[in-house]
Amino acid sequence: MDLVNHLEGRLLFAVPKSNLEGRLQQATLDLLAGCDIQFRRETRLDIALVKNLPIALIFLPAADIPTFVGEGRVDLGITGQDQVGEHDAALPAGETSHVEEVMDLGFGRCKLQVQVPEKGTVTDPKQLIGRNVVTSFTGLTQAFFAKLEGKSDKSELSTKIKYVGGSVEAACALGVADGIVDLVESGETMKAAGLKAIDTVMESTAVLVKSKNTKNELVELIASRIRGVITAQRYVLCQYNIPREKLATASNITPGKRAPTVTALEDDGWVAVSSMVEKKSIATVMDQLTEVGATDILVLTIANSRTA
């Protein structure tokens, strides 16, 4: 049976292709595992059929995913907001994007920044107007400098924006550019190249996107599963006992996603409380609960969830 027949009737889900997409790929694979999307990817094959759902995973470069989603070639995709922004910025004037952001996934956080030589004299992006700027994000960069120059037509830009697919950070040192626009995660690569950031074009995280043209009913199911996994990753379940007279104070500390769950104890005047708390703040929450008289405070990991 040929590949077209294998894909017939399946939801097509585009995911980052390789370790070159390191900031996205492993976190995406972990997310799929948490959603019980079971598949085996054969070596060098860019299509994997999911075993337990009518889904096919299509492994694509993150930069290409918005195009495939926007043209309706795939139903869903995971990529960076920077890539979606670049896709939309490159659309012809008057054309509407068919890529719809479903949710922010919270990983792959980075910034698209204007960078210049650290020992140079440029401290403001306006100083780059009319000069050479190198980037892999020509659409977003043109839009950024068009705003600086006060031009509505990007073809009228005096700033010379050149495309380079990789090693953008080397452009200034090699004399190709006066400044660059590139992604920054930790900033270590930028510092090693002798560059400094002077402005931010946009901040980016990984996002789940869908085609506005898709009618596949599995889209909502997968989005719900992903939302549940992300919630489980961000929250823990905090349980404790508290005198009923202090319940209102404790509930302000642990309001939960909607409201805390309260159960009466056999010991008169006491209640047991269960509430979801953001993982990053749990230590502070436990300290505050102790101060207001809570006892037997327990923190439990949430494996998965479905919340409003």
Side-chain angles (χ1 to χ4, degrees), residues 237-240 242 247 251 254-264 271-276:
L237 186 65
C238 182
Q239 297 181 335
Y240 57 92
I242 190 84
L247 176 59
S251 294
T254 59
K257 290 277 287 182
R258 178 173 293 171
T261 300
V262 180
T263 307
V271 293
V273 179
S274 294
S275 183
M276 290 175 65

Side-chain angles (χ1 to χ4, degrees), residues 13-17 21-35 37 39 57-59 62 65 77-80 105 107-108 206-208 226 229 233:
F13 192 166
V15 296
K17 181 175 181 177
E21 318 288 352
R23 69 188 180 93
L24 299 180
Q25 191 198 47
Q26 189 55 54
T28 296
L29 296 179
D30 292 343
L31 188 61
L32 296 180
C35 294
I37 295 177
F39 70 96
L57 300 180
I58 315 296
F59 291 84
I65 289 175
I78 291 177
T79 188
L105 301 177
F107 58 82
V207 288
L208 177 69
I226 289 175
V229 172
Q233 291 172 344

